């Protein structure tokens, strides 16, 4: 064996020249070195992007589960979302949105179609309706379990495949898949920790469903029967089935005749379109009485009185208090209508099974040239109303609902009445006052009238349906109705239960743009 000195090997290596490439061939560039140890954040950022995008692709491509739910064929899927929640798409009727959880994923449930065989079985055997809720609950449980398993496989497969395509290293690809699985597990834990089983009681409707609030049942059934999520969801899907198959002989939903329905409107401001909307709501919701908390007019002059004539044709009693845009001329004109009950000076009247009392706004400020008296005048009027409410309790004829135009006056009734209604600020709000009175503030049912065109965005048209128990005469729930303003065709209905909330300094705003602020 010949031994070659190390020094000689080095000399030989240094003098070796690379062979020139053959003519017509390409010289491949040398591979770039990986990110150095000084930039680990860049590598981590790239891996994060691969994990998120790959997991999203996996959910989008293979993360859907088709499952039957009662007589319906549905598709369930998880989708990335900043706010979480659940969305139930019932094409072509619209959608329901539930604040069911807070997590970076949203549960989407698409009702694809009504299965004709299973629907016909219900038609032929109506007695099976009673067991439909249990069947639906089991179907939902199995569907969500299948969805969880498929979603895990989808995010792992998507992130691993994308990682392999980007890094071309199996180890990095498997790391991406593992991180995607951990991310989905963390999202599931967040959804479980923030799960709200009563969210189905307060859904938001869109599309045609906004005109069919009965899909979730009446207020009495909501309070007394829906105590666990599966039963609530089963009842929801059951009633949606009845609504969906309107041409069949499935029994239709029938409102509870003992529930008193009150339509609360306010701040119409001379918008003639409001009467058609009010008439439609009276018919759709089977309303028993309308309460108008003022500012029906804009200037309160006699020339505007003809605008009030459609009230005669609404077919239900109309309870009204004077707003700061309504004059005594307006009030006297309404007092001559048979179905109108004008409330003023705290005098109480029983209408449609409820006892009302109210007071007109002490200020008449139809334009900006008039200097208003401010909150002091409103609080003084509120004190007079509170005194009248106290006297009614002393006579053992307590008032169920008080009505005032301004919130400043309405707050003075705290402790003297269970519920006080008001308006004036052109946005919806709800507040529990310190001594237990609930203050419900309505938005503008006229979309702020001509003021709707002053700002960049049109003001919405708002109204509420209040559900009262006929026996206790207490508020059980309400539906907040919000329609798109001038030139818009959107509609949203959200249901709320009359459960106590923490007292707050002011009613919550519904996000109405600044253009809806009232004039003085």
């Amino acid at each position: 064996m010949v031994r070659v000195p190390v020094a000689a090997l080095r000399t030989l290596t240094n003098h070796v020249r690379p062979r020139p490439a053959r003519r017509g061939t390409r010289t491949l560039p040398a591979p770039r070195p990986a990110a150095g140890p000084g930039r680990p954040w860049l590598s981590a950022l790239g891996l994060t992007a691969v994990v998120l995008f790959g997991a999203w692709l996996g959910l989008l491509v293979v993360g859907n589960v088709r499952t039957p739910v009662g007589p319906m064929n549905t598709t369930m899927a998880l989708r990335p979302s900043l706010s979480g929640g659940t969305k139930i798409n019932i094409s072509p009727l619209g959608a329901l949105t539930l604040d069911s959880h807070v997590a970076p994923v949203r549960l989407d449930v698409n009702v694809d179609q009504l299965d004709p065989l299973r629907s016909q079985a219900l038609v032929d055997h109506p007695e099976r309706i009673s067991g439909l809720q249990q069947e639906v609950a089991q179907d939902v449980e199995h569907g969500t379990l299948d969805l969880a398993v498929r979603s895990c496989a989808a995010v792992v497969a998507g992130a691993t495949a994308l990682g392999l395509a980007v890094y071309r290293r199996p180890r990095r690809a498997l790391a991406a898949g593992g991180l995607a699985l951990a991310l989905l597990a963390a999202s599931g834990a967040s959804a479980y920790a923030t799960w709200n089983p009563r969210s189905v009681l307060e859904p938001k409707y869109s599309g045609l469903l906004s005109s069919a609030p009965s899909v979730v049942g009446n207020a009495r059934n909501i309070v007394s029967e829906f105590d666990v999520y599966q039963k609530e969801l089963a009842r929801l899907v059951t009633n949606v089935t009845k609504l969906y198959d309107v041409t069949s002989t499935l029994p239709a939903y029938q409102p509870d005749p003992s529930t008193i329905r009150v339509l609360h409107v306010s701040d119409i401001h001379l918008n003639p379109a409001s009467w058609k909307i009010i008439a439609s709501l009276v018919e759709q919701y089977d309303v028993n009485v309308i309460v108008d908390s003022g500012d029906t007019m804009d200037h309160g002059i006699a020339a505007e009185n003809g605008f009030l004539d459609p009230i005669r044709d609404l077919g239900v009693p109309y309870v009204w208090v004077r707003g700061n845009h309504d004059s005594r001329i307006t009030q006297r004109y309404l007092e001559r209508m048979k179905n109108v009950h004008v409330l003023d000076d705290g005098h109480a009247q029983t209408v449609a099974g409820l006892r009302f009392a109210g007071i007109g706004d002490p200020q008449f400020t139809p334009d900006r040239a008039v200097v208003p008296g401010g909150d002091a005048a409103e609080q003084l009027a509120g004190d007079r109303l509170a005194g009248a409410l106290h006297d009614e309790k002393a006579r053992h004829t307590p008032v169920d609902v008080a009505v005032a135009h301004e919130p400043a006056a309405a707050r003075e009734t705290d402790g003297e009445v269970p519920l006080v209604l008001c308006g004036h600020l052109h946005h919806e709000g709800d507040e529990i006052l310190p001594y237990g009175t609930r203050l419900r503030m309505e938005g503008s049912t006229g979309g702020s009238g001509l003021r709707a065109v002053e700002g960049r965005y049109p003001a919405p048209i708002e109204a509420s349906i209040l559900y009262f128990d006929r026996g206790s005469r207490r508020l059980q729930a309400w539906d907040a109705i919000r329609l798109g303003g001038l030139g818009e065709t959107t509609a949203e209905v959200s249901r709320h239960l009359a459960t106590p909330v923490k007292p707050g300094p002011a009613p919550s705003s519904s996000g109405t743009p600044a253009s809806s602020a009232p004039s003085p």
Side-chain angles (χ1 to χ4, degrees), residues 47-48 50-52 54-56 58-59 78 104-105 147-160 173-190:
L47 181 61
T48 302
V50 167
V51 169
L52 294 177
W56 178 78
L59 287 176
L78 292 179
V105 290
L147 177 62
V149 174
R150 182 179 284 264
S151 298
C152 290
V155 298
V156 171
T160 302
L174 290 176
L179 288 175
L181 182 61
L183 177 63
L184 183 63
S187 301
S190 175

Side-chain angles (χ1 to χ4, degrees), residues 71 114 119 122-123 126 129 238 241-253:
L114 206 65
S119 300
L122 287 175
V123 173
I129 289 288
T238 301
T241 300
K242 298 175 183 179
L243 176 63
Y244 208 97
D245 199 9
V246 292
T247 60
S248 74
T249 58
L250 287 175
Y253 169 77

Side-chain angles (χ1 to χ4, degrees), residues 440-462:
R440 281 285 306 143
M441 182 168 63
E442 191 52 75
S444 174
T445 312
S448 300
L450 293 178
R451 293 161 186 79
V453 299
E454 290 181 354
R456 181 177 179 184
Y457 299 103
I461 294 172
E462 295 180 296

Side-chain angles (χ1 to χ4, degrees), residues 87-415:
K87 186 175 182 180
I88 304 174
N89 298 302
I90 311 169
S91 179
L93 300 177
L96 295 90
T97 304
L98 313 176
D99 294 328
S100 57
H101 62 276
V102 178
V105 290
R106 184 188 72 218
L107 174 62
D108 282 2
V109 181
N110 295 315
V111 178
D112 299 327
Q113 64 178 359
L114 206 65
D115 184 87
L117 295 178
R118 286 175 297 190
S119 300
Q120 188 61 41
L122 287 175
V123 173
D124 296 338
H125 304 280
E127 68 277 3
R128 295 184 183 179
I129 289 288
S130 59
L132 184 59
Q133 291 191 24
Q134 183 177 359
E135 177 187 347
V136 168
Q138 293 174 352
D139 291 342
V140 170
E141 183 179 354
H142 293 157
T144 51
L145 189 60
D146 293 344
L147 177 62
V149 174
R150 182 179 284 264
S151 298
C152 290
V155 298
V156 171
T160 302
L162 187 60
L164 193 60
V166 172
Y167 297 111
R168 299 185 180 180
R169 291 195 233 164
R171 183 173 297 179
R172 295 294 296 271
L174 290 176
L179 288 175
L181 182 61
L183 177 63
L184 183 63
S187 301
S190 175
Y192 180 80
T194 59
W195 188 254
N196 179 17
R198 295 177 63 84
S199 62
V200 76
L201 299 181
E202 301 183 0
K204 291 184 178 180
Y205 306 91
S206 61
L208 295 178
L209 281 180
S210 61
S211 64
S214 60
V215 296
V216 294
N218 58 63
R220 178 183 292 277
N221 288 338
I222 286 176
V223 174
S224 62
E225 296 178 12
F226 291 359
D227 53 351
V228 296
Y229 179 75
Q230 286 188 344
K231 290 182 180 179
E232 293 159 357
L233 186 58
R235 177 65 174 271
L236 176 67
V237 177
T238 301
N239 285 321
V240 168
T241 300
K242 298 175 183 179
L243 176 63
Y244 208 97
D245 199 9
V246 292
T247 60
S248 74
T249 58
L250 287 175
Y253 169 77
Q254 295 295 330
D256 186 346
S258 67
T259 301
I260 302 175
R261 290 165 173 78
V262 176
L263 171 59
H264 182 199
V265 301
S266 189
D267 296 88
I268 293 175
H269 283 292
L270 220 63
N271 186 346
S274 299
W275 299 127
K276 293 183 179 179
I277 295 172
I278 291 172
S280 176
L281 293 174
V282 168
E283 181 180 359
Q284 292 178 31
Y285 285 83
D286 194 19
V287 166
N288 301 105
V289 58
I290 302 169
V291 175
D292 185 341
S293 49
D295 273 4
T296 312
M297 309 298 258
D298 220 9
H299 299 90
I301 58 177
E304 294 178 341
N305 285 345
F307 171 76
L308 302 170
D309 290 344
I311 294 178
R312 295 188 177 95
D313 302 324
L314 292 175
V316 293
Y318 197 93
V319 176
W320 183 85
V321 295
R322 188 178 65 253
N324 62 293
H325 282 257
D326 304 316
S327 66
R328 297 279 180 175
I329 297 174
T330 303
Q331 181 163 319
R332 287 192 292 270
Y333 190 82
L334 283 171
E335 286 174 340
R336 292 195 291 268
M337 294 188 184
K338 292 182 179 180
N339 64 320
V340 175
H341 301 262
V342 174
L343 302 179
D344 203 1
D345 298 323
H347 297 308
Q349 298 185 41
T350 300
V351 184
L354 295 174
R355 192 156 179 80
F356 296 91
I359 194 166
D361 197 304
Q363 305 178 90
F364 179 52
T365 56
D367 57 68
R368 295 175 174 86
V370 179
V371 178
D375 284 350
E378 299 296 337
Q379 291 169 357
L380 183 60
D383 286 338
R384 294 204 308 271
L385 178 57
L389 296 173
H390 184 80
D391 292 342
E392 289 290 333
K393 286 199 296 185
R395 290 192 289 267
H396 304 290
T397 55
V399 170
D400 304 310
V401 183
V403 190
H405 179 64
E406 282 232 21
R411 287 194 177 90
E412 298 302 314
T413 66
D414 187 16

Side-chain angles (χ1 to χ4, degrees), residues 496-517:
H496 307 267
L497 298 181
T499 51
V501 297
K502 293 182 179 180
S508 59
S509 172
S510 59
T512 303
S515 64
S516 66

